[in-house]
Amino acid sequence: MKVDKLTLVRVFDRTERLEAPLFQRPYVWNEERNWVPLWESIREVANRRIVGEAFRPHFLGAIVMDQLHTVMAKVPARQIIDGQQRLTTLQLALAAARDLAEEIEEHKYALAFRKLTDNDVPLSEDPDEVFKVWPTNADRRVFSDVMRANTPPVVDDLMKKLDAGDDLIPKAYQFFAQTFREWLGPASEPTRLQRLDALYNTLRDELHLVVIDLDKDDDAQEIFETLNALGTPLQAADLVKNYLFRTAEAQLLPTKKLYEQYWSSFDVNKSYWRKEVRQGRLNRPRLDLFLHNYLTLMLGEDVNAMKLF
C-alpha cells in the first residue's frame, strides 16, 4: 500500500471522483458526536491564524482508497474503502462555505471553494461526475440535491420532504452553514473578510488526512474492519453487508442487481431499520434484530446476539 499525509486541497484538487461502494453503510454522522468536534477543531486553527498565533494543523485520521478501472471517457475514480463519513462531511462543509461566500458576494472565495467541491467536466455526459465525492447508493440522491441547492433555504425545503433519520446529510450542511455564518459575523463586522480568508485557508491547508492507497495484494475487508473498530461503531448488519457484497464482488457476481433485490430496502428505509428498539434489557437496531431472528430461523439453534457478524 501507499501512504501519504495530504491536505484537503491535495485530496480534492484533482478531477477525480471518490466513490463509496453500495455495500457501505449510509451516512450516520451527527451533530453532537461528529460535526461539533470537527467545527471546534476548524475554529481553533482559524482563530489562531487570525491573531497570528502559532498553530498546528488538525489531523482528521486515515482514509483508505482502492483503485477503480474506468473507461477513458469517464472521470477517473477511486473507491472509498474507509472514510466515507469524513469525506462526505467535508464536502458538505465546503459546500456550505462556498454558498455562504456567494451569499455575501465574495465571489472569488466562492469560486475557490467550488474548486474543492466540483470537478470541471464541461463535456461529461453524466451530470453527477461533477461531484468529487459520491456516497453510497442510499444517500446519492439527497447528497446530489444538497450539493446543488446553493442556498440554505432550498436545503430547508428539501429537509421537509424527508423522514427523520433520513435527513442527516442536509442537517450537516445546515449545521456548517449556520456555524460559519455566526463565526464570520454580520456585514458590519470589520474582520469578516479576514475571517473568511482564515476559514478558507484552514479548510484548504490545515486539515490533514492520511490517505492509504491499496494495491492488489492488500485485504480491503480486513483493513475496513480494523479501522472501523476505533470509529463510530458499526452495526453487525453493516459488517455483514460489507462482507457479503465484497465476497460477491470478488466472485464477479452482479453486485448491483443483488443489492437492489436483497438489501436496498434496508438502506432506503434506514430511519426504520436503523432505529434502536428495546429487546429485553438492551436497545438494539431493528436491522440487527432482524438479522438475529433470521439466523436463528435458518440455523435452528440459539445465536449469540452479541456475535452476529
Side-chain angles (χ1 to χ4, degrees), residues 228-263:
N228 276 282
L230 302 177
T232 302
L234 288 165
Q235 298 175 2
D238 292 324
L239 291 166
V240 169
K241 175 188 176 185
N242 193 74
Y243 175 75
L244 287 176
F245 284 101
R246 278 215 162 273
T247 302
E249 189 176 64
Q251 295 175 5
L252 303 180
L253 297 174
T255 53
K256 186 173 182 180
K257 181 179 178 181
L258 291 170
Y259 172 80
E260 293 297 337
Q261 184 173 355
Y262 294 110
W263 200 281

Side-chain angles (χ1 to χ4, degrees), residues 35 39 42 89-101 103-104 146 149-156 159 169-185 196 199 203:
W35 308 335
W39 164 238
I42 295 169
T89 303
L90 290 168
Q91 281 293 295
L92 294 167
L94 289 165
R98 175 199 70 199
D99 298 343
L100 178 57
E103 176 187 318
I104 64 176
V146 169
N150 295 318
T151 66
V154 176
V155 177
D156 277 335
M159 288 174 60
I169 283 178
K171 279 185 174 179
Y173 171 93
Q174 293 290 45
F175 169 81
F176 287 106
Q178 179 180 344
T179 52
F180 291 165
R181 179 180 287 104
E182 291 174 353
W183 185 76
L184 290 181
L196 179 61
L199 178 64
L203 290 171

